[in-house]
Amino acid sequence: MSKLCAQAQIKVAVLRRARLLPIAWALLLTGCSTLAPEYSRTELPLANDWSTESSAQDSQQLKAQGLSSELAMQLPWQHFIKDQRLAELIELALSNNRSLRQTLADVEAARATYRIQRADLFPHLDVGLSGNRSRLSSGTTETSYQAEAGLSGYEIDLFGKNRSLSAAQMEAYLATAETAKAAHIALISEIANAWLNLAADNSALTLAQETMANAQKTLDITNKRLELGVDSRVDVASAETVYHSARSDIALYTTQVAQDSNALRLLVGEPFDQRLLPAALPNSATLVTDVPAGLSSAVLLQRPDVLAAEHSLKSAHANIGVARAAYFPSLSLTATGGVASSVFADIFSGGASTIWAIAPSITLPIFDGGANDANLAYSKAQQRKALAAYEYAIQSAFAEVADALARRATIQAQLDAEQALVAAATRSYDLSLARYQNGVDSFQTALEAQRTMYSAQQSLILTRQADLDNRITLYRVLGGGLAESNIEQAEG
């Protein structure tokens, strides 16, 4: 026997004592099942795991540490983000971001809508107390008092239509709640990425300023050598190209730093202390905790966006039950019960007479022009659409993780190569500049070495940013921080 049936029996016992037996029996007629198809989770439309070298290594690392993949994925963001400045900005954003507030308001609205729909499962009881005093043609005066309780137009849910409507609305609410969790995780990622953009542009700005200063020194040397007749005007013009190129980059990165700061302020939603902004790219070990990636693809079923799609699918299942119930009779009941007396005090002292009325009605669909068939076909089509959306959400999640892992598998090798390139280019520039100053080599060789060094340093900044972005992206696409998402769930 369902929870609803048990509740109905309890109400019957209470109402019987109150001499409202006709109303009480109506509750027992309420159906305790629905016509919705039984829901079962489909097979994953993808591989069981990610077959990458990085994933295999991370799996071995997890086993050595005695950790499970699922536990690693429930790492709270406060433990994932190690830089205190970034952590403070995220805290501010979670409290003040206007977009997140809109999403959370949608959750509250969906919960209220579910509660409204769920109220139709129960009769709405009203009580009233009335009196009447009139003078008859015979000259006598009559007084009557009446106290009654009753329900009006209560639909007895014989075939589970209201229960299906309530289940559909509950799943819609849960889908909205999961969407809010996804927005919560996405906001953390957006703040971290915006903060990294600012850090990278600040690093690039500092590099451009240093390059311009070095180019100015080289230009001064070349001008002096021109005065001595050692260098030509071609050498001076060549030295000016690096100097003005760096000047242009300074203007560009100054603009980007200002725009990055504006983007952060929009995401955070309120003014914040400038000390929270990064002056340069931090080291990966000081910014975030490394997230092990040796996971089964089944963990994607717990991603909020995937769960939201699954709840939408369950809601579509319930709507099929609503459409099927429309083929069957609908039974409604209007009933009242109470006491009446010619003396007001008798109503409460037990001297009144009992009154009651019951008016059941039944409606059986005979001809509807095919509306019920069309509604059922529509509900089934919506269910198939929701199923496709659910499977696509899983496939999209798998692709996002696969892309992040593919980048992770090669990013360290790229970092190592670019760090070596910067070191080699710096040595080449130092040697070329020394040879030029000593008159051993031409200025063009030193100039080319300087350009190579500047380009390599810029590329290294971008790759370091990509490495940090990849770590944050991997944390997000694996549904990181799920343990911290405590949005209240509806009670069955």
Side-chain angles (χ1 to χ4, degrees), residues 13 458 490:
Q458 289 178 315

Side-chain angles (χ1 to χ4, degrees), residues 146-187:
Q146 184 171 305
E148 62 182 18
L151 56 88
S152 176
Y154 171 60
E155 182 177 352
I156 300 173
D157 200 20
L158 293 175
F159 301 99
K161 182 183 75 172
N162 288 337
R163 286 177 61 79
S164 292
L165 284 170
S166 179
Q169 201 60 58
M170 182 189 71
E171 296 297 339
Y173 157 61
L174 293 177
T176 306
E178 293 298 337
T179 300
K181 291 182 184 180
H184 183 277
I185 296 173
L187 178 59

Side-chain angles (χ1 to χ4, degrees), residues 225 230-231 431-443:
R225 290 168 63 92
V230 178
D231 284 346
L431 292 173
S432 298
L433 183 61
R435 288 169 62 86
Y436 162 66
Q437 291 173 335
N438 292 319
V440 177
D441 211 344
S442 69
F443 176 72

Side-chain angles (χ1 to χ4, degrees), residues 39-45 301 310 313 387 390-391 394:
Y39 175 78
S40 60
R41 181 174 283 176
T42 60
E43 293 292 330
L44 291 181
L301 296 178
E310 184 174 22
L313 175 59
L387 176 60
Y390 173 55
E391 292 178 342
I394 296 174

Side-chain angles (χ1 to χ4, degrees), residues 458-485:
Q458 289 178 315
S459 180
L460 179 59
I461 290 173
L462 293 176
T463 305
R464 288 182 59 210
Q465 181 186 3
D467 174 47
L468 293 170
D469 281 339
N470 176 253
R471 293 168 187 264
I472 293 169
T473 298
L474 189 57
Y475 179 74
R476 175 182 60 82
V477 298
L478 287 171
L482 293 179
E484 293 298 296
S485 300

Side-chain angles (χ1 to χ4, degrees), residues 74-331:
Q74 291 179 351
L75 180 69
W77 73 262
Q78 293 92 337
H79 297 165
F80 173 67
I81 301 294
K82 298 167 68 175
D83 191 292
Q84 188 58 38
R85 297 169 299 172
L86 178 55
E88 287 187 37
L89 277 179
I90 291 175
E91 287 282 6
L92 288 173
L94 293 178
S95 301
N96 299 285
N97 181 268
R98 299 309 191 268
S99 179
L100 185 61
R101 285 184 181 180
Q102 292 179 50
T103 303
L104 294 178
D106 288 340
V107 175
E108 292 302 316
R111 177 178 172 82
T113 304
Y114 159 65
R115 292 171 62 190
I116 293 171
Q117 182 61 59
R118 188 171 183 265
D120 288 342
L121 294 175
F122 307 97
H124 297 176
L125 297 177
D126 300 310
V127 296
L129 180 64
S130 62
N132 181 57
R133 184 176 178 83
S134 60
R135 182 178 179 84
L136 304 179
S137 59
S138 61
T140 60
T141 301
E142 289 187 354
T143 303
S144 63
Y145 300 95
Q146 184 171 305
E148 62 182 18
L151 56 88
S152 176
Y154 171 60
E155 182 177 352
I156 300 173
D157 200 20
L158 293 175
F159 301 99
K161 182 183 75 172
N162 288 337
R163 286 177 61 79
S164 292
L165 284 170
S166 179
Q169 201 60 58
M170 182 189 71
E171 296 297 339
Y173 157 61
L174 293 177
T176 306
E178 293 298 337
T179 300
K181 291 182 184 180
H184 183 277
I185 296 173
L187 178 59
I188 294 172
S189 176
E190 287 177 14
I191 290 289
N193 286 330
W195 194 84
L196 283 177
N197 284 338
L198 176 59
D201 286 337
N202 268 327
S203 293
L205 176 59
T206 300
L207 174 62
Q209 291 169 339
E210 292 173 351
T211 301
M212 188 183 75
N214 290 334
Q216 180 65 63
K217 293 178 183 178
T218 304
L219 182 59
D220 292 341
I221 294 173
T222 308
N223 278 322
K224 191 164 185 108
R225 290 168 63 92
L226 175 64
E227 294 174 2
L228 297 174
V230 178
D231 284 346
S232 66
R233 293 191 179 277
V234 173
D235 293 327
V236 174
S238 297
E240 287 176 342
T241 60
V242 176
Y243 174 78
H244 292 301
S245 175
R247 279 187 59 201
S248 174
D249 287 344
I250 289 174
L252 172 64
Y253 290 123
T254 299
T255 300
Q256 291 184 188
V257 164
Q259 292 175 341
D260 294 340
S261 298
N262 293 336
L264 263 178
R265 291 189 183 91
L266 177 61
L267 287 172
V268 172
E270 71 168 17
F272 51 81
D273 197 324
Q274 292 295 109
R275 67 177 178 81
L276 301 180
L277 299 180
L281 271 176
N283 185 278
S284 60
T286 63
L287 180 67
V288 295
T289 300
D290 196 16
V291 178
L295 302 168
S296 165
S297 58
V299 75
L300 296 180
L301 296 178
Q302 300 306 313
R303 261 183 46 158
D305 57 333
V306 174
L307 285 176
E310 184 174 22
H311 285 304
S312 296
L313 175 59
K314 291 179 180 179
S315 179
H317 268 72
N319 282 327
I320 292 178
V322 176
R324 287 175 174 174
Y327 286 94
F328 296 90
S330 174
L331 178 61

